[in-house]
Amino acid sequence: MIKLDSNQPSLEKPSWQSQLDRFVEAHRPELAALAWGLRLQWGEQPDTLGIDLKPTPHFVACPKSAIEQLNVSVENRLQELLGIVDGYQPEKEVILIGIGFDRVKLIYFESNPTPPDCFEQIGKDVDTLLKELEDSMNQMIKL
């Protein structure tokens, strides 16, 4: 009988969550700029930026009412996520909700420089940011 060494690297591809983490880490300023640009477009709507992985990775608006409905249907297991969304400070923070394979993943970070400064420094409109980031997501996240 041959025993395989448990220290061998896994041949499985990384989970969608870890792929999403790598994408976010590589694009923090652009995501902060996009979040701020969308906030300006959306106004006071309580929408949160989401990343839906099906059928291919793309951005979606997640209305607070939809998150609340989902929370009810999963027996209030998203209560903490709702608390973070309620306390969201868009002028300093970035929140994204990753949606994939019957799971959600909260992505949160404080942006330095701030989201408004990232939006100004990058100097691209929201549509351009969306296209560029979605193209990059589709290259980096392989499901």
Side-chain angles (χ1 to χ4, degrees):
M1 181 161 130
I2 300 174
K3 183 177 178 184
L4 296 176
D5 188 326
S6 62
N7 291 330
Q8 294 292 321
S10 173
L11 299 177
E12 294 179 30
K13 67 181 175 183
S15 71
W16 67 266
Q17 294 101 328
S18 62
Q19 291 181 63
L20 188 56
D21 286 342
R22 279 195 294 276
F23 167 76
V24 169
E25 194 58 38
H27 295 90
R28 286 171 68 114
E30 295 89 350
L31 289 166
L34 177 62
W36 185 253
L38 286 170
R39 184 70 168 188
L40 295 175
Q41 279 187 359
W42 292 339
E44 292 303 311
Q45 284 180 271
D47 289 351
T48 301
L49 183 58
I51 297 174
D52 187 356
L53 297 173
K54 291 183 181 180
T56 59
H58 62 282
F59 291 102
V60 295
C62 298
K64 185 175 178 192
S65 61
I67 300 169
E68 290 170 338
Q69 278 183 321
L70 180 60
N71 184 49
V72 169
S73 69
V74 297
E75 301 171 350
N76 294 322
R77 285 183 262 160
L78 299 179
Q79 202 62 38
E80 185 176 338
L81 183 140
L82 279 168
I84 292 169
V85 168
D86 283 342
Y88 176 46
Q89 298 175 37
E91 59 284 338
K92 298 188 325 185
E93 305 166 326
V94 176
I95 293 178
L96 301 162
I97 299 174
I99 306 160
F101 307 98
D102 299 327
R103 301 213 185 275
V104 295
K105 174 180 178 57
L106 176 68
I107 299 160
Y108 164 88
F109 60 90
E110 282 197 33
S111 181
N112 187 10
T114 66
D117 289 342
C118 287
F119 187 69
E120 185 178 317
Q121 290 171 9
I122 290 174
K124 296 179 181 175
D125 63 45
V126 169
D127 291 336
T128 301
L129 285 167
L130 280 168
K131 172 140 182 38
E132 289 177 356
L133 286 167
E134 284 181 349
D135 288 348
S136 182
M137 251 194 304
N138 281 288
Q139 291 174 1
M140 291 182 76
I141 300 174
K142 302 295 184 193
L143 306 175

